[in-house]
Amino acid sequence: KTLIAPSVNDFVGLFLNAAYVITDSFHATAYSLNFGIPFTAIAPERFSTRIASILELTHTEDRLLADVEDLE
């Protein structure tokens, strides 16, 4: 399911039933970590250092893809 600019309730609600998250969002990455949901973060053109930093702090750097073409 793809949502662009969901409400806060919708955004958080997505995580309650998620089996896996694929995102280019820092906040979705953080929620996935906090809720223990398996995820892949795709580095966006802007602000990818924020995602890389939180993944480094949590020793989950292997969850980051530098390019969406590597999603396979």
Side-chain angles (χ1 to χ4, degrees):
K1 184 173 186 177
T2 300
L3 290 178
I4 299 173
S7 70
V8 172
N9 288 340
D10 287 342
F11 184 79
V12 174
L14 289 171
F15 293 91
L16 298 177
N17 296 311
Y20 199 93
V21 173
I22 299 172
T23 186
D24 65 353
S25 159
F26 171 82
H27 290 92
T29 300
Y31 275 91
S32 296
L33 286 164
N34 284 330
F35 292 140
I37 299 167
F39 70 95
T40 297
I42 301 169
E45 288 185 29
R46 295 179 56 199
F47 308 118
S48 62
T49 56
R50 292 177 65 194
I51 295 173
S53 292
I54 196 170
L55 295 178
E56 184 178 332
L57 287 170
T58 57
H59 307 290
T60 55
E61 299 95 332
D62 61 323
R63 303 286 186 142
L64 182 64
L65 292 182
D67 189 328
V68 71
E69 298 299 321
D70 296 334
L71 190 56
E72 209 177 301

